[in-house]
């Protein structure tokens, strides 16, 4: 396969072409509000196998199924009554629900699990594509397994251009971190991954939730690998007043920080949000990490951000990125 074409995601002809590729068992990279997805027809096991191959993703790591609304979600998952309020409040949007799967979902999508992860993305191009393909679309983030997730079409082209049939360019992703994953399998809803919907927003709808998001070598839920979202350049998270940030003589150090600070000593600096807004910071996170990774630094350092709201998702990504 040669280099994939990049078409404007807002063009209806492009959506038609992309839908035809999905129906024929091909792969389309498409924008969502969180990150770009690498999509295949969820009910075509061969097409889904190509997703794992393209990403070099271990086949024990299950994919998220993307649908257009709650009614179609219910064809693929068996939802408890408690899910209704969540779907009404957060769909379309960055919330993925894990529920028992129906027979329509082939085992390769769920890595053999009896549960399936489902969400309704909030990007019009994603919804148009799913509608036009008349399919549910299984899609992981469109990056090589373990690397920083893509939030712009060129990020996808850079890593997967020769492995996808088409890339839909919808501009930068508005949310910038992946969806929050909430398991509804047990008696209490359990967060498996912090993401675009905050814990505060979730508890306002369902009351107390449990967390099972820790970094661990042996993931309790698949996809909780300790090292993930990783830059090639090693990254260290600093404590607030640490001087390990201090570059040694001749050393090139890149700095990631929430708000601006004295940055003279650094070879490259990325400020996530001048006003300290965590939503803006999340939207900038992965592009900033990529720029730092490409700035020819010996190492990267990051100051922690407050762990509330979207700060939880940001710190989760930074911790996994920094794990060696
Ligand atoms: O925002 C997002 O969720 C993006 C966009 C493209 O929708 N997708 C995304 O996919 O982040 P991916 O594959 O990079 O991450 C999906 C996560 C994985 O960590 C996987 O282990 C988890 O979802 N997952 C999928 N099915 C699961 C299941 N049945 N039980 C537990 N975890 C599951
Ligand atoms: Mg991913």
């Amino acid at each position: 396969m040669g280099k994939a074409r990049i078409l404007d995601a807002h063009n209806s002809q492009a959506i038609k072409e992309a839908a035809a590729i999905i129906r024929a068992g091909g792969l389309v990279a498409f924008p969502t509000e969180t990150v770009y997805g690498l999509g295949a027809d969820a009910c075509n096991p061969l097409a889904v196998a190509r997703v794992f191959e393209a990403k070099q993703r271990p086949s024990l790591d299950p994919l998220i199924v993307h649908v257009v609304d709650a009614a179609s979600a219910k064809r693929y998952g068996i939802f408890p009554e408690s899910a209704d309020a969540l779907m009404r409040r957060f769909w379309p949007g960055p919330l993925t629900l894990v529920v028992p799967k129906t027979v329509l979902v082939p085992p390769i999508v769920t890595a053999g699990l009896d549960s399936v992860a489902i969400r309704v993305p909030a990007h019009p191009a994603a919804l148009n594509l799913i509608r036009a393909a008349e399919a549910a679309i299984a899609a992981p983030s469109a990056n090589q397994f373990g690397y920083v997730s893509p939030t712009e079409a060129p990020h996808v082209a850079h890593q997967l251009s020769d492995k996808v049939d088409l890339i839909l360019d919808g501009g930068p992703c508005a949310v910038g971190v992946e969806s929050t994953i909430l398991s509804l399998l047990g008696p209490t809803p359990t967060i498996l991954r912090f993401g675009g919907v905050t814990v505060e927003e979730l508890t306002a709808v369902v009351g107390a939730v449990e967390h099972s998001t820790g970094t661990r070598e042996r993931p309790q839920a698949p996809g909780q690998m300790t090292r993930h979202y990783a830059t090639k350049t090693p990254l260290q998270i600093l404590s607030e007043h640490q001087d390990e940030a201090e570059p040694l003589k001749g050393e090139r150090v890149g700095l990631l920080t929430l708000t601006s600070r004295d940055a003279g000593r650094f070879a490259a600096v990325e400020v996530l949000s001048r006003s300290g807004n965590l939503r803006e910071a999340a939207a900038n996170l992965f592009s900033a990490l990529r720029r730092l990774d490409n700035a020819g630094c010996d190492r990267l350092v990051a100051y922690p951000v407050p762990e509330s709201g979207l700060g939880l998702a940001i710190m989760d990504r930074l911790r996994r990125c920094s794990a060696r």
Side-chain angles (χ1 to χ4, degrees):
M1 194 183 289
K3 285 209 176 310
R5 283 178 310 147
I6 305 183
L7 298 179
D8 181 358
H10 303 100
N11 178 305
S12 60
Q13 191 55 39
I15 295 290
K16 270 196 196 145
E17 280 190 44
I21 290 170
I22 295 285
R23 275 199 301 271
L27 302 188
V28 173
F30 64 99
T32 80
E33 79 283 24
T34 57
V35 301
Y36 276 72
L38 175 61
D41 178 351
C43 294
N44 179 340
L46 275 178
V48 176
R50 290 187 59 208
V51 171
F52 284 95
E53 201 180 12
K55 275 197 68 139
Q56 298 174 306
R57 175 175 173 123
S59 55
L60 54 81
D61 197 8
L63 306 180
I64 295 174
V65 174
H66 298 69
V67 295
V68 287
D69 56 24
S72 83
K74 288 176 182 172
R75 302 184 59 217
Y76 303 97
I78 302 161
F79 290 81
E81 234 171 81
S82 63
D84 284 333
L86 288 164
M87 296 190 282
R88 264 199 310 272
R89 168 72 176 80
F90 297 109
W91 283 359
L95 178 67
T96 295
L97 297 175
V98 174
V99 295
K101 77 177 201 71
T102 69
V103 290
L104 286 184
V105 184
I108 187 169
V109 171
T110 65
L113 296 174
D114 294 330
S115 60
V116 61
I118 304 183
R119 85 178 189 99
V120 177
H123 197 293
L127 294 171
N128 289 339
L129 174 62
I130 300 166
R131 256 189 224 108
E134 295 177 30
I137 295 187
S141 51
N143 54 280
Q144 254 166 44
F145 185 73
Y147 192 66
V148 180
S149 304
T151 52
E152 297 174 27
H155 298 166
V156 181
H158 184 67
Q159 284 200 332
L160 298 179
S161 189
D162 55 347
K163 302 205 171 79
V164 300
D165 298 293
L166 181 67
I167 299 171
L168 290 174
D169 186 348
C173 300
V175 175
V177 291
E178 291 84 349
S179 59
T180 300
I181 302 181
L182 187 70
S183 167
L184 300 180
L185 297 176
T188 311
T190 303
I191 298 179
L192 302 181
R193 176 176 73 185
F194 293 118
V197 168
T198 65
V199 178
E200 296 86 338
E201 288 168 330
L202 281 176
T203 51
V205 174
V206 287
V209 294
E210 284 172 13
H211 298 188
S212 177
T213 56
T215 52
R216 44 176 76 85
E217 285 309 329
R218 202 172 227 286
Q220 180 181 322
Q224 294 183 327
M225 279 74 171
T226 304
R227 184 170 160 70
H228 210 74
Y229 312 107
T231 46
K232 298 192 176 78
T233 320
L235 176 134
Q236 180 195 11
I237 302 173
L238 302 168
S239 56
E240 197 43 46
H241 300 288
Q242 207 169 351
D243 49 8
E244 272 167 78
E246 204 61 52
L248 303 172
K249 209 170 154 48
E251 194 188 26
R252 285 178 62 84
V253 180
L255 173 69
L256 184 77
T257 149
L258 179 58
T259 52
S260 66
R261 55 172 80 225
D262 171 26
R265 307 158 285 147
F266 294 95
V269 177
E270 289 289 339
V271 176
L272 291 176
S273 166
R274 299 218 165 264
S275 62
N277 180 304
L278 290 171
R279 218 157 258 288
E280 186 185 10
N284 288 329
L285 177 68
F286 287 133
S287 334
L289 280 172
R290 269 172 201 264
R291 282 191 296 271
L292 285 175
D293 204 15
N294 292 323
C297 293
D298 302 305
R299 61 187 175 99
L300 308 176
V301 294
Y303 282 103
V305 307
E307 294 202 56
S308 60
L310 282 178
L312 279 171
I314 295 173
M315 286 307 293
D316 170 78
R317 305 306 185 269
L318 287 179
R319 286 202 183 96
R320 289 180 212 272
C321 177
S322 70
R324 293 280 136 177

